[in-house]
């Protein structure tokens, strides 16, 4: 278990102090996939670097399996870091070494015999789906393949924790999906705790069990992904869950005063029953979708839509009543009435 206790990090700069992290309290359970999400500058990288003490906290403590990391001697810390490995957005592979030798590198540092290291490296190449790339060099690989090699290297020392710092941010959506699937498989198969640092809600959505939202160096919300999606309490969470939410509302002045425009919020309604289509099929009422920012999370729908209802008041009322009667749906009139 990783316990981050009252952790603060201040960088002293010539022109003043930067408070990158302020009084962070987080508990990351063993075997979980835990997301830490925030906008650029929120403090994500600083936090992840504090977890493995690449950065020393100014205050507070990082306790991993009962050991306060900041109390370890440099030698003990080096030893401990083999349990907490990391992958990065830019892969950080050694370009002059083959893939096999890249994966062997941390084992060399740990004093593992060459033959044993190579055997393990080949097993890891198999695990990440690149058994034929042992002798290839990083420059000969695609981004997704480079990240697979980086994952194999990170697993070489049998870590307990894998820290992923924007590990898929340089990859296209399909490759991102493939890498996230691999990380999820590794988490399941090996029971490794995974900490995912990202600015993309879609990444959290796809693999994380729990998430902490970081904003301005402070954890503003934390909990199960599903709960945060269902009920984002802070502006920072709402920005991440529905980045376009409300943007269409700013254009409302362009509608006629008798237009009926409603904001429909989905709070865990069934994604299997598309609302606009079922309104048309069951009631014969057609509405226009002005904007939509919804997500399907394990078959449940979250987010909001801006809908223009028919001009006919009776039909508009019927449409609103129909939508209100659905589970997990709230309807709010934004013009008309
Ligand atoms: N070594 C450093 N020296 C001074 N200030 C720093 C240092 N590292 C980070 N900061 C500052 O701390 C704050 C948080 O930065 P950090 O890189 O952790 O954010 P982030 O959420 O990872 O952002 P991004 O997604 O853009 O990488 C920023 O204001 C940044 O300028």
């Amino acid at each position: 278990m990783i316990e981050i206790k009252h952790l603060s990090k201040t960088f002293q700069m010539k022109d003043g102090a930067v408070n990158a992290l302020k009084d962070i309290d987080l508990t990351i359970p063993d075997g979980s996939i835990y997301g830490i999400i925030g906008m650029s500058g929120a403090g994500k990288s600083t936090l992840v670097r504090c977890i493995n003490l690449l950065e020393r906290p100014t205050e507070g403590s990082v306790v991993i399996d009962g050991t306060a990391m900041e109390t370890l001697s440099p030698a003990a810390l080096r030893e401990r870091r083999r349990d907490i490995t990391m992958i990065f957005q830019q892969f950080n592979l050694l370009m002059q070494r083959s893939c096999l030798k890249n994966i062997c590198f941390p084992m060399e540092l740990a004093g593992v015999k060459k033959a044993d290291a190579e055997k393990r490296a080949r097993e890891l190449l198999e695990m990440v789906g690149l058994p034929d790339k042992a002798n290839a060099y990083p420059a000969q690989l695609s981004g997704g393949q480079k990240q697979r090699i980086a994952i194999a290297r990170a697993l070489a020392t049998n870590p307990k924790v894998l820290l992923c710092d924007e590990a898929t941010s340089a990859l296209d959506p399909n490759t991102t999906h493939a890498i996230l699937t691999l990380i999820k498989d590794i988490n399941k198969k090996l029971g490794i705790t995974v900490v995912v640092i990202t600015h993309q809600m879609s990444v959290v959505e796809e693999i994380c069990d729990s998430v902490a939202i970081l904003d301005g160096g402070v954890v503003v919300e934390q909990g199960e992904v599903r709960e945060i999606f269902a009920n984002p309490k802070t502006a920072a969470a709402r920005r991440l869950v529905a980045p376009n939410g409300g943007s269409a509302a700013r254009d409302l002045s362009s509608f006629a005063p008798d237009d009926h425009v409603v904001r429909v919020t989905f709070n865990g309604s069934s994604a299997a029953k598309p609302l606009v289509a079922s309104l048309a099929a069951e009631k014969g009422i057609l509405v226009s979708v002005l904007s939509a920012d919804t997500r399907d999370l394990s078959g449940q729908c979250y987010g909001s839509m801006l809908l223009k209802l028919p001009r006919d008041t009776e039909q508009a009322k019927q449409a609103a009543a129909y939508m209100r009667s659905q589970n997990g749906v709230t309807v709010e009139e934004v013009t008309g009435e």
Side-chain angles (χ1 to χ4, degrees):
M1 182 162 70
I2 304 173
E3 296 162 279
I4 300 169
K5 298 181 176 178
H6 300 297
L7 186 146
S8 296
K9 176 71 191 180
T10 303
F11 294 104
Q12 295 297 345
M13 308 300 285
K14 272 193 216 122
D15 46 353
V18 179
N19 296 314
L21 298 172
K22 299 168 214 162
D23 200 19
I24 307 283
D25 268 310
L26 284 181
T27 300
I28 302 178
D30 278 344
S32 64
I33 306 186
Y34 199 99
I36 296 174
I37 187 169
M39 301 288 189
S40 182
K44 306 179 296 292
S45 295
T46 307
L47 179 56
V48 78
R49 289 167 63 79
C50 282
I51 293 179
N52 59 8
L53 242 71
L54 283 175
E55 206 73 78
R56 288 225 160 232
T58 313
E59 276 175 57
S61 184
V62 176
V63 181
I64 301 185
D65 295 338
T67 306
M69 297 292 282
E70 65 284 351
T71 63
L72 295 174
S73 67
L77 184 60
R78 265 198 307 278
E79 177 81 28
R80 203 59 202 269
R81 279 213 189 103
R82 289 184 199 134
D83 287 344
I84 312 153
T85 54
M86 193 157 171
I87 56 171
F88 306 86
Q89 179 170 356
Q90 295 308 335
F91 324 119
N92 294 8
L93 295 175
L94 301 166
M95 301 307 279
Q96 309 305 326
R97 284 179 162 235
S98 67
C99 293
L100 189 85
K101 296 272 183 229
N102 261 282
I103 302 170
C104 286
F105 187 59
M107 294 186 274
E108 270 172 38
L109 295 181
V112 176
K113 273 195 218 137
K114 194 171 170 218
D116 294 344
E118 287 199 4
K119 181 167 175 279
R120 169 104 181 108
R122 287 187 194 279
E123 285 165 13
L124 288 163
L125 277 167
E126 191 81 41
M127 183 184 289
V128 301
L130 295 177
D132 53 339
K133 295 292 181 195
N135 299 319
Y137 283 81
Q140 298 168 316
L141 304 181
S142 69
Q145 290 171 333
K146 283 183 198 151
Q147 198 58 292
R148 284 174 190 270
I149 298 297
I151 290 171
R153 184 179 60 179
L155 297 177
T157 50
N158 293 310
K160 295 192 179 118
V161 178
L162 177 66
L163 304 174
C164 309
D165 190 359
E166 299 282 6
T168 55
S169 298
L171 305 175
D172 65 50
N174 284 339
T175 313
T176 293
H177 175 68
I179 293 293
L180 294 178
T181 305
L182 175 64
I183 292 173
K184 206 169 183 169
D185 280 355
I186 287 166
N187 161 265
K188 274 217 189 90
K189 252 187 230 149
L190 308 179
I192 292 179
T193 307
V194 181
V195 181
V196 175
I197 300 288
T198 181
H199 65 281
Q200 293 171 302
M201 204 61 181
S202 54
V203 169
V204 169
E205 222 176 295
E206 189 163 343
I207 61 165
C208 296
D209 313 313
S210 300
V211 63
I213 297 180
L214 209 54
D215 189 39
V218 176
V219 172
V220 290
E221 284 191 48
Q222 58 174 306
E224 278 183 29
V225 173
R226 195 179 284 261
E227 270 170 34
I228 303 271
F229 264 83
N231 190 17
K233 295 187 187 72
T234 58
R238 281 194 288 272
R239 259 198 321 269
L240 289 161
V241 171
N244 305 321
S247 58
R250 282 195 283 279
D251 301 329
L252 289 176
S253 56
S254 59
F255 302 124
D258 57 346
D259 275 342
H260 289 276
V261 178
V262 290
R263 181 176 291 111
V264 180
T265 307
F266 299 90
N267 198 345
S269 63
S270 166
K273 189 180 178 191
L275 190 66
V276 172
S278 63
L279 177 65
E282 291 177 31
K283 297 283 168 190
I285 300 175
L286 301 175
V287 299
S288 329
V289 179
L290 301 177
S291 76
D293 195 359
T294 59
R295 287 157 196 276
D296 179 350
L297 198 66
S298 317
Q300 293 187 302
C301 184
Y302 295 95
S304 66
M305 270 186 189
L306 215 52
L307 299 180
K308 188 158 108 176
L309 306 186
R311 281 269 172 93
D312 179 276
T313 312
E314 197 43 47
Q315 274 210 342
K317 273 192 182 148
Q318 272 187 37
Y322 173 84
M323 293 189 284
R324 281 198 181 96
S325 70
Q326 309 298 312
N327 268 343
V329 175
T330 53
V331 180
E332 185 194 352
E333 188 98 12
V334 289
T335 62
E337 279 188 350

